[in-house]
Amino acid sequence: MSKTSVSNETSSMLCLWVEPWGTDHWMRPGGEFTVVTETEAEESPFNVVVHGQGITVWVNSGNDAEVFDKNGGRVPCGHQRPAEGGL
């Protein structure tokens, strides 16, 4: 199992996309999410890209991935997604 954590140290909502599935998971300021996959760490399971619209974590395996908050709760796709035009 491999994990990578992403935190939002900005004062705004920040989107974490998990690819290649295109799921979006929105973090409030101070939030932290962990992306978990069954791939072994030696297999270079993740690439992390920071861009103007948020952060993308690419999962480099055929294994599925899940996102969890800092309390261990599962974070589904669309979590805390702002209303249209609400950013």
Side-chain angles (χ1 to χ4, degrees):
M1 180 178 305
S2 295
K3 302 177 184 181
T4 190
S5 294
V6 178
S7 60
N8 181 1
E9 301 300 322
T10 74
S11 59
S12 304
M13 290 285 284
L14 183 68
C15 187
L16 167 66
W17 281 276
V18 180
E19 296 289 359
W21 304 280
T23 59
D24 63 316
H25 312 266
W26 292 81
M27 284 186 283
R28 297 187 187 285
E32 180 180 318
F33 292 159
T34 301
V35 181
V36 179
T37 186
E38 293 299 321
T39 303
E40 294 303 319
E42 307 82 52
E43 298 177 33
S44 185
F46 304 108
N47 285 341
V48 178
V49 179
V50 178
H51 47 82
Q53 297 177 335
I55 299 170
T56 300
V57 173
W58 279 90
V59 179
N60 296 325
S61 71
N63 294 321
D64 201 7
E66 291 194 77
V67 178
F68 297 91
D69 64 19
K70 59 184 164 186
N71 297 318
R74 188 174 167 282
V75 179
C77 177
H79 176 74
Q80 301 182 136
R81 184 184 295 144
E84 193 71 28
L87 283 181

